[in-house]
């Protein structure tokens, strides 16, 4: 038995991460792949059933995982991020949620055939989207800043309120049917307020302890993680499902205390959340039965799901966002994207059991109804978000953009070369004057420190997948690269070669990958540009291969980057252990003497041909 449980744990973790990798490798929605993998190893092939293997600890494990995921999401909810569209988020999270609750309840009653009491309860639960499904979609789709922020905030803020709203509706139903007294209803509101207060106070106290140095650096992340679990459990003991509200309040308070160690905490929680989201989706879908899946095929459920996707959600968004300044395109996208996920799946099981035990015969339909809505929205929104965002002009870019830090003559030339391939490019420097060469070429610039909070919250960096640190300060370049490793990945971060001291003295874990060969530091590159070095584009053919390029007066040519046939960017051309195929364009910084030699060579060839 122990061996089987260990196997299930290992299998769930491995399959979850493998699903994430497959989604990344083939550019597919991660939540779709995770759901399909869970169904294959669970009800379809019956390889294992996590619910049976874990027994009584299955639901508590899922609940704790959801609490951590929700806290991690709320830890990124800095109020400075939503300057200019706070009204939109407030209206969607309040008026929009209320409209979705009422209209969703009527849809469940008239279309799915649930009694009005049960529909009233489940309608409250179905307003949730949540970080488990929204964050992977945002990571995949690269939306513009405003719609992405609104979807993220709505998903995280509404998530705990959806569970509480369903719990409130349950209390109302019990009160109407005289199962409970009015006192119990008052206690519900008191318990909800107490849970939010516990989370907020715990977040503030923990933040102060971190900031004042009472917790050593190596214990900060473990201390925060254990505190989240404690707050969740304590609140849930006071009243079921209030723990989610407590951890959300805790995360939001800490996010807005502007802690010096907040970024390290976020990165730690992000890593855990990826693991938990992957594992929980596999566990939930693998635990389903064929009978439950067959219930989804009911035509009434199908009609209900369509109504939720095409009527309830768009109606709630379009009505709640009247007069808040959102464009028609933004309202259309936000009105379509509302995938349901882990919270809806886990909490629906609790309500199904309570309602059934209380004599509501249609309570056992809730699980199948939730599954139908989750699978339909995950598939539909997962595959459509990028396409729709592109059609509505709300995708930041389809191209992999480049962010260059350091306003120099070389940066301007490099940026112009990249932009000639329709790549989004931005050059950032702390000095307005240093950006003059870049502005003169019509390249987008930003004055400010890339490490400052002003830049982080006022400059949309979403379109840029590559970073090149090219300032004249080696240590600053390394610091910039280190800062963006978690967001961009070390493979997409470069810095110009170190020009002071021996490069071997520096740790390989610091900074980014070397942009060029060691002899081409930023001072040398700037000097070459001042001497008249120019950009040269060389397209490889069957007759002129990469080997020919390397042997063709390479001492007068500095390869900067390559662009493949599919328009993908490749840096570190010389250091790359690859053989570029024909059709690849190599962009180099070429000596003016080399240009003259090429022109003379071409002229001589033309003259010889004319003599013949």
């Amino acid at each position: 038995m122990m061996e089987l449980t260990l196997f299930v744990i290992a299998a769930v973790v491995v399959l979850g991460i493998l699903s994430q990798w497959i989604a990344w490798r083939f550019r597919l929605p991660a939540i779709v792949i995770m759901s399909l993998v869970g169904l294959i190893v669970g009800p379809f092939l019956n390889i294992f059933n996590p619910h049976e293997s874990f027994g009584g600890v299955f639901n508590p494990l899922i609940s704790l995982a959801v609490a951590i995921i929700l806290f991690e999401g709320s830890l990124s909810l800095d109020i400075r991020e939503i300057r200019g569209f706070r009204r939109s988020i407030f209206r969607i999270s309040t008026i929009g949620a209320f409209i979705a609750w009422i209209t969703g309840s009527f849809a469940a009653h008239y279309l799915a055939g649930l009694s009005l009491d049960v529909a009233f309860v489940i309608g409250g639960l179905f307003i949730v989207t949540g970080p488990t499904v929204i964050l992977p979609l945002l990571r995949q789709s690269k939306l513009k800043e405003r719609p992405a922020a609104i979807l993220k905030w709505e998903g995280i803020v509404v998530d705990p309120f959806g569970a509480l709203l369903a719990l409130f509706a349950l209390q109302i139903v019990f009160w109407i049917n005289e199962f409970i007294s009015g006192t119990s209803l008052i206690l519900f509101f008191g318990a909800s307020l107490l849970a939010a207060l516990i989370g907020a106070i715990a977040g503030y106290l923990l933040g102060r302890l971190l900031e004042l140095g009472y917790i050593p650096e190596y214990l900060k992340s473990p201390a925060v993680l254990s505190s989240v679990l404690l707050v969740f459990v304590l609140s849930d003991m006071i009243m079921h499902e209030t723990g989610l509200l407590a951890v959300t309040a805790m995360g939001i308070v800490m996010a807005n205390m502007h802690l010096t160690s907040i970024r390290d905490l976020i990165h730690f929680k992000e890593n855990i959340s990826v693991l938990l989201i992957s594992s929980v989706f596999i566990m939930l879908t693998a635990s389903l039965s064929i009978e439950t899946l067959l219930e989804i095929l009911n035509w009434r459920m199908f009609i209900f799901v369509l109504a939720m996707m095409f009527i309830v959600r768009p109606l709630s968004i379009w009505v709640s966002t009247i007069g808040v300044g959102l464009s028609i395109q933004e309202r259309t996208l936000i009105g379509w994207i509302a995938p349901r996920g882990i919270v809806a799946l886990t909490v629906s099981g609790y309500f199904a059991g309570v309602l059934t035990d209380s004599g509501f015969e249609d309570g056992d339909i809730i699980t199948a109804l939730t599954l139908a809505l989750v699978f339909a929205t995950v598939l539909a929104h997962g595959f459509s978000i990028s396409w729709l965002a592109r059609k509505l002009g709300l995708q930041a870019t389809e191209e992999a953009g480049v962010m260059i830090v350091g306003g120099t003559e070389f940066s301007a030339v490099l940026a112009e070369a990249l932009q000639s391939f329709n790549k989004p490019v931005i050059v950032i420097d702390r000095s307005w004057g240093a950006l003059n060469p870049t502005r003169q070429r019509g390249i987008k610039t930003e004055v400010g420190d890339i490490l400052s909070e002003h830049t982080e919250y006022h400059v949309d960096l979403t379109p840029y997948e590559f970073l090149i640190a090219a300032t004249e300060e080696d240590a600053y370049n390394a610091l910039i690269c280190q800062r963006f490793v978690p967001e961009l990945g070390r493979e997409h971060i470069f810095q110009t070669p170190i020009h002071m001291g021996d490069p071997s003295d520096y740790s390989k874990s610091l900074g980014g990958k070397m942009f060029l060969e060691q002899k081409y530091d930023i001072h040398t590159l700037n000097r070459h540009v001042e001497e008249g070095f120019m950009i040269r584009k060389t397209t490889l053919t069957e007759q002129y291969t990469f080997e020919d390029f390397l042997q063709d007066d390479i001492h007068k040519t500095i390869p900067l980057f390559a662009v493949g046939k599919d328009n993908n960017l490749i840096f570190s051309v010389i250091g790359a252990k690859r053989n570029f195929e024909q059709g690849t364009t190599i962009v180099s910084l070429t000596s003016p003497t080399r240009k003259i030699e090429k022109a003379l060579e071409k002229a001589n060839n033309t003259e010889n041909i004319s003599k013949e």
Side-chain angles (χ1 to χ4, degrees):
M1 184 64 183
M2 178 63 71
E3 289 77 9
L4 177 60
T5 304
L6 289 174
F7 167 75
V8 173
I9 293 173
V12 164
V13 172
V14 171
L15 288 173
I17 298 304
L18 181 61
S19 300
Q20 292 270 11
W21 181 84
I22 292 172
W24 167 79
R25 181 66 180 82
F26 297 100
R27 296 182 178 273
L28 296 171
I31 51 179
V32 173
I33 302 300
M34 292 184 287
S35 300
L36 293 177
V37 169
L39 291 174
I40 291 171
V41 299
F44 292 167
L45 299 181
N46 201 27
I47 297 175
F48 59 77
N49 187 322
H51 196 288
E52 294 178 357
S53 301
F54 294 126
V57 300
F58 179 81
N59 288 327
L61 283 175
I62 297 294
S63 297
L64 290 175
V66 171
I68 295 171
I69 294 168
L70 200 55
F71 173 76
E72 185 274 323
S74 60
L75 200 62
S76 64
L77 297 184
D78 193 318
I79 201 71
R80 294 171 296 182
E81 181 186 12
I82 57 171
R83 289 174 179 170
F85 46 94
R86 294 178 187 175
R87 286 179 60 210
S88 304
I89 294 172
F90 177 76
R91 295 269 292 273
I92 290 172
S93 302
T94 52
I95 299 173
F98 179 77
I99 295 172
W101 175 30
I102 300 302
T103 54
S105 299
F106 282 129
H109 174 60
Y110 290 107
L111 300 179
L114 297 179
S115 65
L116 199 55
D117 289 335
V118 175
F120 189 54
V121 174
I122 205 63
L125 179 61
F126 284 163
I127 70 169
V128 304
T129 53
T132 59
V133 283
I134 283 295
L135 296 183
L137 286 187
L138 296 180
R139 194 178 299 121
Q140 157 205 338
S141 57
K142 298 179 184 175
L143 298 183
K144 287 186 176 179
E145 183 181 15
R146 186 157 69 175
I150 291 174
L151 285 171
K152 182 182 77 170
W153 273 74
E154 181 206 6
I156 296 170
V157 171
V158 173
D159 218 34
F161 286 110
L164 282 177
L165 190 58
L167 198 59
F168 165 71
L170 182 67
Q171 300 293 318
I172 294 292
V173 167
F174 283 176
W175 178 59
I176 292 174
N177 287 274
E178 298 183 350
F179 294 162
I180 63 173
S181 63
T183 305
S184 299
L185 201 58
I186 295 173
L187 288 175
F188 163 78
F189 289 107
S192 301
L193 184 61
L194 180 60
L197 194 60
I198 289 173
I201 293 174
Y204 177 77
L205 292 177
L206 183 59
R208 293 298 298 164
L209 290 175
L210 293 172
E211 202 70 358
L212 294 174
Y214 286 108
I215 300 176
E217 199 68 33
Y218 74 96
L219 281 181
K220 283 184 177 180
S221 294
V224 171
L225 181 60
S226 59
S227 300
V228 170
L229 297 178
L230 179 62
V231 167
F232 172 77
V233 171
L234 286 178
S235 300
D236 230 43
M237 288 173 64
I238 296 173
M239 189 177 70
H240 195 62
E241 301 305 332
T242 58
L244 296 179
L245 178 62
V247 297
T248 303
M250 182 180 178
I252 292 176
V253 167
M254 294 184 68
N256 289 278
M257 290 177 69
H258 309 144
L259 306 175
T260 53
S261 55
I262 191 70
R263 196 173 301 281
D264 293 333
L265 295 177
I266 289 176
H267 294 158
F268 174 72
K269 293 294 185 295
E270 282 177 346
N271 293 334
I272 291 181
S273 289
V274 169
L275 185 65
L276 291 177
I277 289 173
S278 307
S279 302
V280 168
F281 259 102
I282 298 292
M283 289 171 66
L284 288 174
T285 51
S287 300
L288 300 174
S289 64
I290 293 294
E291 292 74 18
T292 304
L293 292 174
L294 290 176
E295 289 183 29
I296 297 176
L297 302 179
N298 186 303
W299 69 270
R300 301 194 71 164
M301 290 193 182
F302 180 72
I303 297 298
F304 166 75
V305 169
L306 290 180
M308 290 293 290
M309 294 170 63
F310 291 98
I311 298 176
V312 174
R313 172 65 177 183
L315 180 66
S316 66
I317 296 299
W318 278 85
V319 172
S320 64
T321 56
I322 293 174
V324 297
L326 294 182
S327 66
I328 293 176
Q329 291 84 352
E330 289 171 328
R331 295 168 76 187
T332 301
L333 179 68
I334 296 169
W336 168 243
I337 301 300
R340 276 62 170 191
I342 291 175
V343 171
L345 277 176
T346 54
V347 178
S348 66
Y350 164 75
F351 287 110
V354 171
L355 289 167
T356 303
D357 294 342
S358 301
F360 296 93
E361 295 180 358
D362 51 349
D364 57 355
I365 306 176
I366 290 177
T367 301
L369 196 67
T370 306
L371 282 174
L373 186 61
V374 168
F375 285 151
T377 54
V378 163
L379 288 170
H381 300 152
F383 280 111
S384 66
I385 184 170
S386 296
W387 175 84
L388 183 60
R390 187 163 55 250
K391 291 295 182 182
L392 295 174
L394 296 177
Q395 199 169 39
T397 178
E398 292 185 63
E399 296 288 347
V402 182
M403 174 170 39
I404 303 173
V405 184
T408 63
E409 291 285 350
F410 170 72
S411 296
V413 169
L414 175 62
E416 187 176 38
L418 287 164
Q419 192 165 275
S420 68
F421 290 93
N422 296 319
K423 302 293 182 183
V425 183
I426 185 172
V427 181
I428 302 175
D429 196 279
R430 292 171 287 185
S431 167
W432 172 270
L435 292 170
N436 280 335
T438 309
R439 277 193 296 270
Q440 291 170 3
R441 288 173 166 81
I443 310 295
K444 183 177 180 180
T445 61
E446 178 67 30
V447 180
D449 191 338
I450 189 63
L451 300 177
S452 71
E453 291 184 344
H454 172 83
T455 304
E456 180 177 356
Y457 290 107
H458 292 81
V459 181
D460 183 14
L461 301 180
T462 307
Y464 310 107
E465 293 186 17
F466 293 92
L467 181 145
I468 300 174
T471 74
E472 297 181 351
E473 303 173 43
D474 293 330
Y476 185 55
N477 288 342
L479 188 60
I480 293 168
C481 293
Q482 203 66 22
R483 154 67 182 83
F484 283 92
V485 164
E487 283 86 352
L488 302 179
R490 199 171 294 277
E491 292 300 310
H492 287 181
I493 294 179
F494 301 86
Q495 70 180 90
T496 49
I498 295 169
H499 65 275
M500 293 185 66
D502 187 350
S504 62
D505 293 339
Y506 293 83
S507 171
K508 292 183 178 180
S509 63
L510 296 175
K513 299 173 66 177
M514 285 300 109
F515 176 52
L516 298 170
E517 292 182 85
Q518 182 56 45
K519 58 185 177 180
Y520 297 124
D521 58 63
I522 188 64
H523 297 284
T524 303
L525 293 170
N526 284 330
R527 187 171 63 253
H528 282 329
V529 172
E530 291 169 0
E531 291 171 352
F533 274 58
M534 295 169 286
I535 290 295
R536 170 191 171 194
K537 299 177 181 178
T538 307
T539 301
L540 303 180
T541 63
E542 189 175 349
Q543 293 75 29
Y544 188 82
T545 64
F546 185 54
E547 287 75 15
D548 296 327
F549 172 82
L550 293 177
Q551 296 171 7
D552 189 13
D553 291 332
I554 195 65
H555 62 283
K556 296 181 180 179
T557 301
I558 308 170
L560 302 178
F561 62 91
V563 179
K565 289 191 296 185
D566 54 357
N567 210 33
N568 62 308
L569 277 174
I570 306 164
F571 290 100
S572 296
V573 174
I574 296 300
K577 295 180 179 178
R578 68 182 84 197
N579 188 15
F580 293 100
E581 59 183 5
Q582 61 185 51
T584 300
T585 300
I586 298 178
V587 179
S588 312
L589 195 62
T590 305
S591 166
T593 58
R594 178 60 182 154
K595 287 275 189 180
I596 296 171
E597 291 171 5
K598 278 285 185 182
L600 291 174
E601 183 180 336
K602 185 177 181 180
N604 290 333
N605 290 337
T606 304
E607 184 179 346
N608 291 334
I609 291 173
S610 61
K611 288 181 179 179
E612 292 175 359

